[in-house]
Every structure is written in C-alpha cells, then in structure tokens.
C-alpha cells in the first residue's frame, strides 16, 4: 500500500525515480509526488492520479539532481488530492518525507505540533513526520529521524531528506516493507524489491525499528539507539523481464495465461520416490499426525483459496478446519491449542491483518505455516514454515495466478495431512497428484479457445449486478468469481450457495438479470440444476460453467462455458480460470482499467 522509492548516486535521479515508481504503481495510484535535492533546496512536485501525470508535470524540474525520493499513494488519511500527495514538507520546506503506513497517534502529535507553532498544509497523518523531524533537527537528519520515530505509534516505511544534507536519504521502518540496495551508480530504496532489483541483486530488507542512511558513497545501518548494525542481506534470484507486460494488452491476461506454468512449478519436486514431500513445513510425521485443528487465515482472494482448502482437508484428512478473514480472527478469541495448525495464506506476504493474526496465533501457541508468493516477505519470515506458490511477480491488482498457486499448494497440504493421518494411502496420493498435475493441461485447453467466454461477457457487460451460485466446492469458486467481477469491472456481484437462493437473493432476479452458475459434474449436480431452473423461471440470464459432455445444461443456460472433465476436488482450479476470463472480458467491454482498478492496491499493509 503506497509505493516509496529513493535514489542517491552519480546519475540524474529523476528518471531513475520515475522508472522505479512506475513499477510500484500497483501499490496505489491516487496521487504521486517527487522531491529532488537541488542547489536551491528541495524541489517538490505532486499530482493527483497516476505516475504518468507526475512525469508530465515534472518536465521542468532539475535534470542534474542526483538525489531524490518519490511516492505513489493509496489514500488512508485525507482524500486523494494534490495537497495530500506525498512528499510532505516541514514548515521551513527543508524536510521532505514519503511514507507508507499509518501513524496511528497522528491526531495527538499534530495537536501538539500545532501548539508548538507548526503549520499543517494537508489532512494526512504523514505530515506530522515532517514536522517532528524539523522539530528535532540539530544538523543530523538520522538523529532527528530516530527522535521522530520514538514518538510515533503505528506502521511506517519512511524515506526522508533534508535540504541541508545534500545527497543523504534516511530510511526507517516498522511493519511496512522497505528494501535497500547499493548498485554500481548509487544507493536505492523502495517498498518492494522490484524497484531495486534492476540495480542490484543483493538487497537488505530492513527490520522493524532499523534505520538506514544512504549517500552516493554507500549505506550504513543503525538501530533506534543509534548503534551500528549489520542487517541480513538477501539475494534476488528472479528475472527482471518477468515483470514486463510484453505484447499482452494487460498484466491480468498475461498472468491468467501463466497459470499452467504456475501449476507445474508449484508441483515440481513435491513427489519424491513416490512420496509427497513438503519439507518446508518443518514438522515431523509425528507432529503432523498430532494436528487436530486447522485454521486458515487470509484476506480477499487468499481467503477464497482457504475455503477450498477447508473442503479438501476435512474430506481427505478429517481434521476440523476453520477459514477466517484475518481482520476478524485477530480480534477474536480463537480456540488455539498446541495441536492447532494455523495456515496463513497471502500473495504479498505483507497483508497487515494476516500478519497481525499470525503474530497473535504464535503467542497463543499455534504452529504457523505460511503460503505466500513473495520470498523473504514478512509473513514468510514470521512463520514456522513456508510454501512459496511459484506464481512469480503478480502485477495486476486482481489476483489470478497467485490464487491458482495457493489452491495447488493448499491441495498438497491437504494431501499431506491426509497421508499423515493415514486417511489416504500412498497409491491414492499418487493418483491424486497425477490428476492435480493434469490440471495444467486442462487450463491450457480452456485458454486455447475463449470465444464462448467472450460472447457471454459481451451479453452481460451492461448489467449492474450479477449473482454467482454453486453448491459445495462450486460455491467457493463463485465467491472468487464474484470478487473478480466486482473489483475490476465495478459490476455489483454476490455469490451464494445455490441452495440459499430461495431464502432471499432470488427476490433480486428479473428479466435478463445475469446468474452465473457453476454446475460442474459432482454428486450434487442435479440440485444445482434445480436452482438454475428456479432462476431461469424468473427471467434470469444464465451463464453456466459446466463439464464437457454435459448435454443437459444447454436446455437451461443462455451461455455454457465448458471445462474439461476433472475430479470435483480439482474443479476449482479450472473453473476459476473461466471466471477470471469472464470478469476480465466484462471489464474490457466496459472500458475499465483492468490492472489498476479504482480504490484498490495490490498490497494492503494497513489495517
Ligand atoms: O497479498 P494477500 O494475498 O494477502 O492479499 C489479500 C487481498 O488483499 C487480495 O487477495 C485482494 O482481495 C485481491 N485484490 C483480489 O484480487
């Protein structure tokens, strides 16, 4: 949430900052701003909207400046506006600050600073940081930043400059990601490794209450007391071009098409000598056998992956499994014992609520296992064990390939738990594994011909609302399908277990109202068919996701989107791809920005 970049070195800073800021636009795009060190002090430009607006507005800024910071915002405190855009400055305009996070005690700090004579120019929580640094500045920016941070409660990734210290950027963090690296030409800082990796593969992920001072000559680190520290370095081992859109019209479509590869990579090395292996769990077979309750904690799409896992774990391993949204779990009093396994699912590995929930679960004595896509992320680092989903960098705000990576990883976990409980034998596991691997080819089949999906989308593109219905695992696919539609096309969409329709939602139906029904082959197929009939009888336009070879469904549905025949347990993997494509096609028809939907950000690092 919010992207921060900084550079100090030998080269002109402006273009470097813009290039790197653009890579972070997925973190928020309400407004953007830049501050450059110049011979005449700090030069600041801010604009409402995307980085492109800022680039245009900055044409006249100093092209020779070699030190600067920049920010792309996802608004928390204060509406999106130029005045609320970062960087924020002190009264004397000598301090500039970019911030990611929330200063929770900002109101109290602001009141005090105002009483001390400071004048505020924005509605943001961040501005207090600029004034605090101004207040404590005695010729050393690092000391002033440490003093300011001592007063702050909340989450922050901060990059700070002072006009009297040319070439210096001070960095601080608590609970918001900050990555730093030294390239050949200077030092870089950002809130995501992708904005540093082009310069260097050797990066430092700052820990809470660690500070860094960057100059053209190098970087140094200290703790809150000012004592020098040597932080851990991390090696970035992926390719830069994985984050490029290439010839695809948008990242979302590119990422949807990467899903067969994600399935294959996630499964690679998991079957060793005929046995399922997830060494990263760091639990012995005995410890695994001891688990008698599972909590899956997650948000958004990752939560939906958890709903699928519940079905599989309970079915195969017979272990009671709860799936909870992290923002609720963290404030409840969940029943956790030493035999509880908590599984935290998060693409970014930095979602604030999920992170807080696992911290709480560990204090309560649970073993915490992370499933994330980002190597070295907070959730990965704070879990007892971690599976990486192998989706590689996901740029589109709407999760697609990371979801498939999560579902495949959770399926493996369910199989492992079943194996350790002796509920599935080795031969059964092998059959399941082979069928799971087959879903890669089935997704390819779906992707090879999307005409029916596009036709259905064209027919539904003008709708204001849609209902998604399904039973059993199909209902979980519907939750995710409805989320995809609303987040990228702004069509109001709700998902219901199909049997619930007649308890309320059916009242919404009228002539032409789209009902997306996931009616794939399962023991309860006929029940879903009845619910489709009930909707059809009330004039609904039916878009059915069905299994190839189903010759009944055409009688009820206006559009049938077929998926290859697959075991019900693995149907969410293929059926979800159809609904991702359907949502995207509607968003494209409606002229929406598929990759950067309004009001959203890829990583939610605030509560
Ligand atoms: O990074 P996480 O998986 O923890 O993120 C959770 C949600 O914010 C995320 O899945 C969100 O719902 C996506 N925009 C869905 O497409």
């Amino acid at each position: 949430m919010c992207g921060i970049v900084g550079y100090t070195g030998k080269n002109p800073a402006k273009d470097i900052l813009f290039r790197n800021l653009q890579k972070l636009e997925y973190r928020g795009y309400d407004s953007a701003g830049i501050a450059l060190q110049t011979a005449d002090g700090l030069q600041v430009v801010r604009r409402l909207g995307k980085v492109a607006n800022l680039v245009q507005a900055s044409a006249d800024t100093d092209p020779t400046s070699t030190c600067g910071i920049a920010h792309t915002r996802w608004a928390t405190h204060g509406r999106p506006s130029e005045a609320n855009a970062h960087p924020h400055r002190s009264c004397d305009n000598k301090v500039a600050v970019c911030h990611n996070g929330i200063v929770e005690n900002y109101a109290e700090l602001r009141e005090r600073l105002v009483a001390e004579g400071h004048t505020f120019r924005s509605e943001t929580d961040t501005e207090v940081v600029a004034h605090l640094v101004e207040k404590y500045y005695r010729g050393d920016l690092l000391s002033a930043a440490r003093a300011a941070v001592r007063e702050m409660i909340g989450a922050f990734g901060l990059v700070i400059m002072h006009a009297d210290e040319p070439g210096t950027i001070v960095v601080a963090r608590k609970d918001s990601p900050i990555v730093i690296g030294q390239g050949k030409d200077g030092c870089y800082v950002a809130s995501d490794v992708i904005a540093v990796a082009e310069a260097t593969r050797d990066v430092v992920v700052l820990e809470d209450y660690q500070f860094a001072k960057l100059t053209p000559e190098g970087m140094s680190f200290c703790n809150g007391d000012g004592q020098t520290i040597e932080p851990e370095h991390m090696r970035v081992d992926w390719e830069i071009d994985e984050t490029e859109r290439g010839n695809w019209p948008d990242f979302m479509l590119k990422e949807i098409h990467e899903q067969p590869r994600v399935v294959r990579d996630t499964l690679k090395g998991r079957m060793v000598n005929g046995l399922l292996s997830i060494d990263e769990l760091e639990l012995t077979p005995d410890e695994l056998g001891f688990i008698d309750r599972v909590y899956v904690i997650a948000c958004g799409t990752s939560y939906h992956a958890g709903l699928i896992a519940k079905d599989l774990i309970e079915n195969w391993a017979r272990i009671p499994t709860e799936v909870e949204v992290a923002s609720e779990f963290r404030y409840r009093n969940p029943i956790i014992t030493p035999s509880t396994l908590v599984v935290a699912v998060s693409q970014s590995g930095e979602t604030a609520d999920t992170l807080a929930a696992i911290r709480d679960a560990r204090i309560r004595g649970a073993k915490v296992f992370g499933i994330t896509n980002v190597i070295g992320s907070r959730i990965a680092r704070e879990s007892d064990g971690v599976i990486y989903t192998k989706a590689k960098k996901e740029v589109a705000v709407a999760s697609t390939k990371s979801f498939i990576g999560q579902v495949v990883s959770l399926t493996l976990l369910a199989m492992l738990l079943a194996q350790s409980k002796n509920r599935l034998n080795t031969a059964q596991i092998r059959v399941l594994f082979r069928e799971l691997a087959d879903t890669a080819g089935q997704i390819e089949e779906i992707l090879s011909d999307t005409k029916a999906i596009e036709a259905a989308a064209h027919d539904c593109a003008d709708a204001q609302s849609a209902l998604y219905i399904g039973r059993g695992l199909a209902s979980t696919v519907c939750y995710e399908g409805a989320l995809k539609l609303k987040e990228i096309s702004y069509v109001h969409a709700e998902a219901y277990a199909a049997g619930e329709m007649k308890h309320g939602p059916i009242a919404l139906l009228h002539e032409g109202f789209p009902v997306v029904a996931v009616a794939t082959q399962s023991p309860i197929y006929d029940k879903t068919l009845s619910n489709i009939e009930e909707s059809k009888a009330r004039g609904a336009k039916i878009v059915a996701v069905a299994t190839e070879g189903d010759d009944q469904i055409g009688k009820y549905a206006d559009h049938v989107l077929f998926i290859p025949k697959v075991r019900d347990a693995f149907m969410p993997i293929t059926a979800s791809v159809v609904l991702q494509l359907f949502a995207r096609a509607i968003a494209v028809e409606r002229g929406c920005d598929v990759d950067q939907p309004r009001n959203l950000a890829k990583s939610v690092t605030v509560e």
Side-chain angles (χ1 to χ4, degrees), residues 299-302 345-349 351 354 397-399 406 483-484 487 602 604:
C299 304
T301 288
S302 303
V345 187
S346 172
Q347 185 285 129
S348 61
T351 298
T354 312
V397 165
S399 301
Q406 290 167 347
L483 175 62
K484 285 288 89 85
E487 73 179 326
K602 183 87 187 148
V604 183

Side-chain angles (χ1 to χ4, degrees), residues 247-566:
N247 290 329
W248 293 94
D250 47 73
F251 276 104
M252 185 177 179
L253 191 61
K254 172 180 184 255
E255 289 164 0
I256 288 173
H257 277 261
E258 284 174 48
Q259 294 179 119
R261 197 255 322 137
V262 175
V263 174
R264 291 185 179 112
D265 284 0
T266 307
L267 293 180
K268 209 173 276 169
R270 293 299 178 191
M271 200 48 109
V272 182
N273 300 327
L275 285 175
L276 197 60
S277 138
I278 312 183
D279 293 345
E280 307 93 310
L281 249 181
E282 299 198 5
L283 289 176
T284 62
D286 281 352
E287 285 172 319
L288 273 173
F290 186 56
I291 292 165
D292 62 6
R293 180 194 297 268
V294 177
Y295 275 110
V296 183
I297 312 172
C299 304
T301 288
S302 303
Y303 169 76
H304 297 148
L307 293 177
I308 295 165
K310 172 183 167 70
D311 203 273
L312 302 186
I313 296 171
E314 292 191 339
N315 245 333
W316 290 339
R318 309 303 295 160
I319 304 174
T321 301
E322 303 292 333
V323 191
E324 297 212 21
V325 285
S327 52
E328 290 296 319
F329 180 89
R330 64 183 290 195
Y331 294 114
R332 287 202 321 106
N333 185 12
I335 302 166
I336 288 180
T337 67
S339 49
T340 303
L341 176 68
V342 168
V343 183
V345 187
S346 172
Q347 185 285 129
S348 61
E350 59 173 87
T351 298
D353 285 318
T354 312
L355 186 57
I358 65 168
R359 286 178 177 162
D360 180 65
R362 288 187 83 185
I363 290 168
R364 290 167 184 266
K367 275 263 178 211
V368 173
F369 191 63
I371 295 188
T372 178
N373 195 33
V374 179
I375 297 173
S377 60
R378 208 68 246 171
I379 288 173
R381 289 152 85 98
E382 295 199 20
S383 297
D384 296 301
V386 62
I387 295 187
Y388 288 111
T389 45
K390 310 282 168 57
K392 299 189 179 169
K393 184 74 195 169
E394 189 174 63
V395 177
V397 165
S399 301
T400 54
K401 60 174 181 170
S402 66
F403 171 72
I404 294 301
Q406 290 167 347
V407 176
V408 173
S409 304
L410 286 162
T411 304
L412 288 174
L413 180 64
M415 283 158 61
L416 187 78
L417 289 169
Q419 184 178 269
S420 63
K421 292 275 181 195
N422 294 323
R423 295 275 181 185
L424 289 178
N425 62 33
T426 322
Q428 288 168 312
I429 296 275
R430 273 186 221 148
V431 171
L432 286 175
F433 190 87
R434 207 174 45 238
E435 289 182 27
L436 181 58
D438 286 346
T439 60
Q442 289 159 350
I443 298 174
E444 275 163 351
E445 214 177 295
I446 292 167
L447 294 173
S448 68
D449 182 2
T450 56
K451 284 193 285 297
I453 300 173
E454 278 139 29
H458 179 71
D459 200 16
C460 298
D462 293 333
Q464 293 196 328
S465 290
L467 276 175
Y468 283 62
I469 59 168
R471 284 171 176 261
L473 273 169
S475 69
T476 63
V477 173
C478 290
Y479 292 124
E480 175 56 10
L483 175 62
K484 285 288 89 85
L485 184 65
K486 58 190 150 196
E487 73 179 326
I488 60 169
S489 73
Y490 318 136
V491 175
H492 170 242
E494 293 303 330
Y496 275 91
E500 277 291 291
M501 280 292 277
K502 55 177 93 54
H503 300 289
I506 203 163
L508 291 168
L509 301 187
H510 53 73
E511 203 56 42
F513 188 107
V515 171
V516 180
V518 178
T520 46
Q521 290 306 315
S522 80
I524 43 178
Y525 168 77
D526 288 339
K527 307 277 176 205
T528 310
L529 221 47
S530 305
N531 300 128
I532 293 176
E533 275 195 87
E534 288 155 13
S535 302
K536 187 77 191 156
R538 282 149 184 96
K541 184 185 289 173
I542 308 291
V543 176
V545 179
T547 310
E548 259 164 23
D550 180 342
D551 47 16
Q552 280 194 73
I553 193 84
K555 288 184 226 145
Y556 311 100
D558 299 85
H559 297 274
V560 184
L561 313 177
F562 284 113
I563 60 166
K565 195 162 173 32
V566 61

Side-chain angles (χ1 to χ4, degrees), residues 143-189:
S143 305
R146 284 181 18 242
V149 161
R150 269 199 291 275
E151 303 229 2
M152 289 160 50
I153 299 172
F156 43 84
L158 292 167
V159 288
I160 313 171
M161 294 194 306
H162 196 289
D164 293 348
E165 297 190 31
T168 299
I169 299 173
V170 166
V171 187
R173 86 151 258 172
K174 187 200 162 244
D175 286 342
S176 289
I178 285 284
V179 181
I180 297 170
Q182 184 170 3
K184 287 195 188 79
D185 61 322
C187 291
Y188 293 75
V189 53

